[in-house]
Amino acid sequence: MRRSLVAVAISLALGGIAQAAPADAGAVPHPPMVHATTQLPRTVVPSHYAIEVTPHADRLAFDGKVKIDLEVLVPTDRIVLQALGMTFANSTLAKVGGKPMPAKVSLDEAAQTASFAFAAPLAPGRYVLSTDYAGTINTQANGLFALDYPTATGKKRALYTQFENSDARRFVPSWDEPNYKATFDLAVNAPAGDMVVSNMPVARTGEGPGGLRRTVFKTSPRMSTYLLFLGVGDFERAMLAGDNGTEIGVIAQRGKVGQARYALDASRDVLREYNDYFGVPYPLPKLDNIAAPGRSQFFSAMENWGAIFTFEYSLLLDPATSNVSDEQRVFTTAAHEIAHQWFGNLVTMAWWDDLWLNEGFATWMEGRTTRKLHPEWDQDHVDAAYTSRGPMGRDAYATTHPVVQHVETVEQASQAFDGITYGKGSAVINMLEDYVGADAWRAGVRSYIAKRAYGNALTDDLWAEVDRAAPGRQFTQVAHDFTLQPGVPLIKASATCSNGRTTVLLEQGEFTVDRPDKAPLRWRVPVAVRGSDGTVAKALVDGKASVELPGCGPVLVNDGQKGYFRTLYAPAQFKALGDGFAGLPVVDQLGLMLDASALAAVGMQPESDMLDLTTKVPLDGSANLWQLVAGTLGGIDDLYQGHARQPAFRAYARARLAPKFEQLGWEARAGDSATTKQLRTSLIGILSTLGDDKVVAEARRRFAAFEADPASLPADLRRTVLGIVARNADAATWDRLHALARKETTSLLRDQYYGLLASAKDPALAQRALEMALTDEPGATNAADMIARVAEEHPEMAFDFAVAHRAQVDQLVDSTSRARYYPGLAAGSVDPAMVGKIRGFAEAHIAPTSRRDTETVAAGIETRIKLRARRFPQVDAWLQRQGG
């Protein structure tokens, strides 16, 4: 599953803050496998489901029948499985070769279970449980759900399923836990004009009840319930032949399948790469990717085996409106979801504690494969710096958690899909691969996949295979340190030179944002140090270590930036690196700047260190460096919010960025790299935020021309220009945007317009957007996103509004997302009163075991306020030294 942009709001908010007694040295034990709250009794095991469903899309309901082959392991008088929101009839159980006996069904909606009880205890053996049932088609992405979308001929409705993590129980009574794998037969009765899609190819079609067409699919491989998929609608399909006879397809609403051609080609290329990397060929006969209109607060795509579900914004490309960032999103989404076909689908974590085995690995494979197949998108090889630093903002708070985490409830499992599971998981893999070498790492991965195919695994199963491939490296101990305990290591570096050789002392601590007096944890940290002549020395730092390098020049810690740690240099060492900044590789320049920014934010390094580095980036410097400079200045602008000195800072920031923007200009040029195109739009956006009247005026001029002729606005600039106009809109402009939204018949563009309506700085217009979100106009899946968009500019307003209308907002939010959605609306606040409001809401409406996001947001607000007060005097003193 790929998280949506809304789902990462908390991690981004906390990351922005950070950017701006030793533990026992022995191996950390694996946490015990205790999951009493959600796991079923271990008395019965299913092996096969034969499911028949008849959806009634017009009345948002469905009928179902299921026969489940199962084995009773110990004598019992009841069979308990998971079911939610269902009614049952005609329930029987028959021993294989025997007569059926009736079952009495009792439901526990709180526990999400159905119990089938029998008059006498069942002896161990093989049985078939049969039942008719009925359920609800939802309007959010839980279970079987409906999405309405506009077309030139009117509104249409399509049906899809979303089961991860625990919503297959809304579609079929089942053992809805990842370690209960089984095979599936699926038959669907649907209108003859609709296409029906599932994990496997169609086996046959025929006449169904009531004039419907019956579609029967081939039997699936052995898999977990959350990977089952069904889609029904007015679809079209395009396909091509992949390696090993695999049929690769894309499916979209009628008339849109041509916009999925890029995704189709990307899927072919990625699948070929993964067949080679994993050493086990993709095992299903086909791999479809199904595009759906709308969005979720939780995810953008889902890796259903053989039938990946992806929202249109991450799958379709319209040449008139899509830019290079859209291309990258489509490719990286495909790379992520196809990686899951092995890591997650073929081999599945035993329980949600090890969710990172799915998501961290897929995120890492996504980055690795993108770099390999599209090197032009990362010409400066900077991805490692962002991969390692991205999750640290979240991981440096007291509310963080280990990569391998303890999960008990369904809500906790939903909350596990966060920046630690994805981002830190990926960063740790990046570091571990670098530590043992790419060949040894891949050998371990291949062995892990081959040995556990069609089964379940724990994290330690992967470590064991890599350890065998790289003996003598303390690999498992290092891996345990970074996955079984939370937090960010800090490496303090100092150097002395004698007789032409430099000795670098490395001392370990912990980087933390909100616990300055915390006793640091202990990690075995792989560290690579590069000397002034390019020589690289490596050490495994466990408390303290030292390395020697030839020469007496500056030394760089974390060469290549793949290590998951912050580096704090002694002042003399940092100055030497700053003086030689221009000679560093771009990835190391970024690493130096990112660490200096984070350390300055918590008072461990002077603010001037990072700010001085921003002045060292030359006009012809890397676009990646300019992106960081622009982002840094934009972030500092928040420190000045509401202060009398803000105009002076903005004047300085505009003067620093304007020459680079003048060099790039508004119009794309032949030969522009992807990073150059993205820098252009970033500079336009940030300069507008910094109050550059000329930029805002030019955006408005281009919008007026766009209204007369949409083709006048290039795809590369479309979203940026419309975003500036929307953010700075007055009532008349807002109404013009609203008119564009109302008349748009393309679902993807229509969704974008309603997002723009929620982006206004004007509080009165933001209020209008909030009120609109509770109407039928924007559509069920856009409404929650509109409220979240308002929260980006007006967090207090959005949170208060959502809480005041909770009954309505609950219907607009995936049920799995509510515990994070409401606190997340307030994540950008700097109002101390919001802390009490968030915690009060959680006490009233969120289970005590599911308040991690609440506490994370509350800690973020409290810390941001403290850091803002401490940082401002240093930043302003630096600004005055620049003449500002």
Side-chain angles (χ1 to χ4, degrees), residues 13-259:
L14 295 178
I17 298 169
Q19 299 293 359
D24 180 74
V28 184
H30 195 287
M33 295 286 289
V34 177
H35 313 288
T37 305
T38 57
Q39 288 193 325
L40 292 169
R42 266 38 187 171
T43 56
V44 179
V45 178
S47 59
H48 179 75
Y49 297 83
I51 305 166
E52 179 179 345
V53 293
T54 305
H56 307 290
D58 57 337
R59 55 188 174 91
L60 295 178
F62 70 93
D63 302 318
K65 299 179 180 181
V66 64
K67 292 184 177 181
I68 308 173
D69 296 345
L70 55 86
E71 183 177 3
V72 174
L73 302 178
V74 298
T76 179
D77 65 350
R78 69 191 59 243
I79 294 174
V80 182
L81 41 65
Q82 275 125 348
L84 182 61
M86 293 179 177
T87 59
F88 291 88
N90 304 320
S91 302
T92 64
L93 182 75
K95 194 160 189 176
V96 173
K99 294 182 179 180
M101 67 182 83
K104 182 179 180 180
V105 183
S106 59
L107 304 177
D108 186 335
E109 289 290 305
Q112 302 183 3
T113 59
S115 296
F116 294 76
F118 308 98
L122 304 173
R126 291 186 296 138
Y127 297 80
V128 177
L129 176 67
S130 301
T131 188
D132 297 344
Y133 62 98
T136 300
I137 298 175
N138 300 294
T139 56
Q140 301 298 325
N142 301 109
L144 179 63
F145 67 100
L147 290 176
D148 294 339
Y149 59 95
T151 72
T153 58
K155 183 183 289 186
K156 292 191 176 183
R157 173 170 289 174
L159 304 179
Y160 309 89
T161 57
Q162 169 57 29
F163 294 155
E164 191 178 31
N165 44 274
S166 306
D167 281 329
R169 64 194 67 179
R170 297 175 184 267
F171 178 76
V172 59
S174 55
W175 282 259
D176 190 22
E177 298 175 9
N179 59 338
Y180 281 111
K181 287 193 169 185
T183 54
F184 293 82
D185 283 330
L186 178 64
V188 183
N189 301 309
D194 283 348
M195 181 184 292
V196 183
V197 187
S198 189
N199 307 79
M200 298 296 289
V202 173
R204 62 187 182 276
T205 60
E207 186 176 339
L212 299 173
R213 183 179 62 186
R214 178 181 172 85
T215 301
V216 179
F217 294 94
K218 293 181 178 180
T219 303
S220 79
R222 189 169 180 267
M223 66 184 191
S224 302
T225 49
Y226 76 87
L227 297 171
L228 185 64
F229 177 77
L230 171 63
V232 182
D234 186 18
F235 304 147
E236 289 182 314
R237 182 174 187 258
M239 59 80 63
L240 53 77
D243 294 348
N244 303 316
T246 303
E247 186 175 286
I248 302 172
V250 289
I251 295 169
Q253 58 174 282
R254 187 172 299 279
K256 295 294 179 65
V257 74
Q259 295 181 13

